[in-house]
Each structure stands twice: as structure tokens, then as C-alpha cells.
Amino acid sequence: MEAFAITDRGNAVNEDFVACGDEFGVLLDGASGLAQEQLFAGEAPSDAYWLSHVAGTEAARLLQSGASCLEAAHGAYELVARRYTKRIATAHIAPDPLLAPSATIALARVTAHTVELLWMGDSPLVVVLRDGMDVLFDPQIRALDAKALARAKTLRQLPGNEGKPARELVRDMLAHHRTLRNQPDGYRIFDPVDGDPARAGMRTYDRADVVAVLGMSDGMMAAFETYHLADVEAFCRNATRGQAQELIQRMRELERADCALTTYPRFKVSDDASLFCVPAGGDEAE
């Protein structure tokens, strides 16, 4: 198995960032805030793209230089927080987490003896073990989305709502869910206002127990969990770039065939799909 990273645009702008090397992996899945203004229009096609790419590039640089996952995530946070604060001050905008872009973050670092992981949000880290698999992510975003989709299904049965997109029917609910960002009863997410990765989930494994770590955006994980195109453990245990490309292509064909979002209820036809794969060599250790 070889290290690789792949991304495929599913929206107007690919707001995922993914990178990896033989001993590290970085993935961020950006989401726009509620602000109408685009603060970084001169630097990026969207503010979510700016956040994921600036933070992702910095996290990858720090991991390559020997930083821990927490050090890399915190360094990336400090960089984007500093730049964001400067930009909103120039624009005379008060800092507001609801207006700021956010991103999931999933980091992996392989050392001589350990495999170190960090995550915020619902981009899963799939840890392929000698015997089995762990999938690590914050389940809160998925739980909130499931509630919104269930409500949309109920509302679609009312007169006049037939065929309306789920996002349109539950726009108020989705806006409310944003207010739960980094709140005690909400979900943890990386953002430049109050997304300090000190709140992140973290776990360390003995390297000898780990075959590989794969980080995925939820748009990639949908191939397994939503569309059931492959078994996630079987795929991850022997993943290759070619297999990932083929899987994404099959998913795109299925999504286009269900452009009404009825067979597979979801908020948009397609989502950006990204993946990194970092082997740990545990399959060879005895």
C-alpha cells in the first residue's frame, strides 16, 4: 500500500483540502458561514476555500517539520485566526462565529512507534487495524443533519411542498444548527473565531497495530454509507488511487441519476469527495 491523496469537486467550488506524505495526512472540508460578504474574494473563490486551504497548507507544513497533530492544528488555527481578525477589522465587521467560515479537520501522523490522530467535525478517520477497523469522528453534525432530513421528509408530504429541495424546506432549522457550533450542547468544528483545536478529539495507537489510516470528507464517505457502493473496511484495507477514482466516478453517476434527491435523501446532488491514505505498516509487523 502506498500513500496517496485524491479530491474531486462536487459543488461549484471544491472547498476540501487534502494532502499527505509517507508519515502524515491532512484533510479539511470547508463550509461557508452565514455572512453574505466574501471577505477573501481577492485570494480564494470562497471564504470556506480560503479557510481550508490556508489552514490545511499550514498544518501539512508543520506535520512535515515534526510537529504533533495538536501542534499542527493549533499552528494552523493561530494563522487563520490572525488573518481573519485582521481582515474583519479592515472591513469594520465585528467577530461573529456564525458569520465566519468553518471546516472539519482530520489529521494523522505516523511516528516510529505510534499513530497519532486528531479530528473536529464529521470527516472520518478510518483506522485499519490488524484485526478490525475504527472510525473516528464527531457524530453531532450527522445527528443534526439526520434530524433536518427527517423534518424535510415530513414537510414534503404537505400540499404545495411536493418536489421541493430538502434544504429549502428546512432552511430555518439548518440556520439554527449553525448556532450550536462549538457550544457545550453542540458540535466541535474548526473555525478562525472560536474553533480552537484544544477541543478536538485525539487518539494514539501503537503503530504495530495499525495497517493504515484513511481520512475522508463526508462527501467521500457517502460512497460507503449513503450509496453502499463498497464495504468501507474492504476498500480501506487495500486502497489505491485508481480504486478511489473509480469509486468516485460510480458515485457521481449514481448522484446524477438521482438528481431529484429522492432515492437517496440529501441536501445537494453532489458533495466534494476527498481522501488521504497513509500506510502504517502494521500488517507487516510481527
Side-chain angles (χ1 to χ4, degrees), residues 133-144:
M133 174 187 72
D134 288 342
V135 182
L136 308 174
F137 64 96
D138 181 346
Q140 293 301 318
I141 297 176
R142 295 193 189 188
L144 292 171

Side-chain angles (χ1 to χ4, degrees), residues 5-11 13-19 26-31 52 103-107 120-126 135-137 141-142 214-227 232 235-236 247-248 251-252 255 268 270-277:
I6 185 172
T7 188
D8 183 82
R9 182 176 63 83
N11 293 296
V13 175
N14 187 346
E15 294 172 338
D16 287 357
F17 174 90
V18 64
V26 175
L27 187 144
L28 288 89
D29 180 355
S52 65
T104 67
I105 186 168
L107 305 182
M120 297 178 78
D122 65 339
S123 291
L125 286 160
V126 179
V135 182
L136 308 174
F137 64 96
I141 297 176
R142 295 193 189 188
L214 290 88
M216 303 187 195
S217 62
D218 62 338
M220 184 72 213
M221 195 64 173
F224 308 100
E225 293 187 339
T226 302
Y227 306 116
V232 64
F235 173 87
C236 291
L247 187 62
I248 291 171
M251 178 169 64
R252 297 306 188 216
E255 289 170 337
K268 47 194 170 184
S270 297
D271 197 2
D272 305 326
S274 302
L275 174 151
F276 71 70
C277 175

Side-chain angles (χ1 to χ4, degrees), residues 46-127:
S46 74
D47 287 354
Y49 179 104
W50 170 83
L51 176 65
S52 65
H53 282 69
V54 172
T57 299
E58 179 67 359
R61 183 188 71 80
L62 291 169
L63 287 172
Q64 284 181 296
S65 69
S68 68
C69 285
L70 181 57
E71 289 168 341
H74 191 69
Y77 171 69
E78 288 186 326
L79 175 62
V80 294
R82 186 168 61 250
R83 292 190 184 180
Y84 186 81
T85 299
K86 182 178 180 180
R87 184 59 57 90
I88 63 173
T90 301
H92 304 290
I93 298 172
D96 184 342
L98 292 179
L99 302 181
S102 62
T104 67
I105 186 168
L107 305 182
R109 175 178 178 247
V110 178
T111 72
H113 302 291
T114 64
V115 174
E116 180 185 331
L117 306 170
L118 177 147
W119 66 93
M120 297 178 78
D122 65 339
S123 291
L125 286 160
V126 179
V127 187

Side-chain angles (χ1 to χ4, degrees), residues 150-164:
R151 181 178 176 227
K153 181 179 180 181
T154 299
L155 292 175
R156 192 177 280 123
Q157 297 172 0
L158 299 178
N161 286 343
E162 300 88 347
K164 286 187 177 180

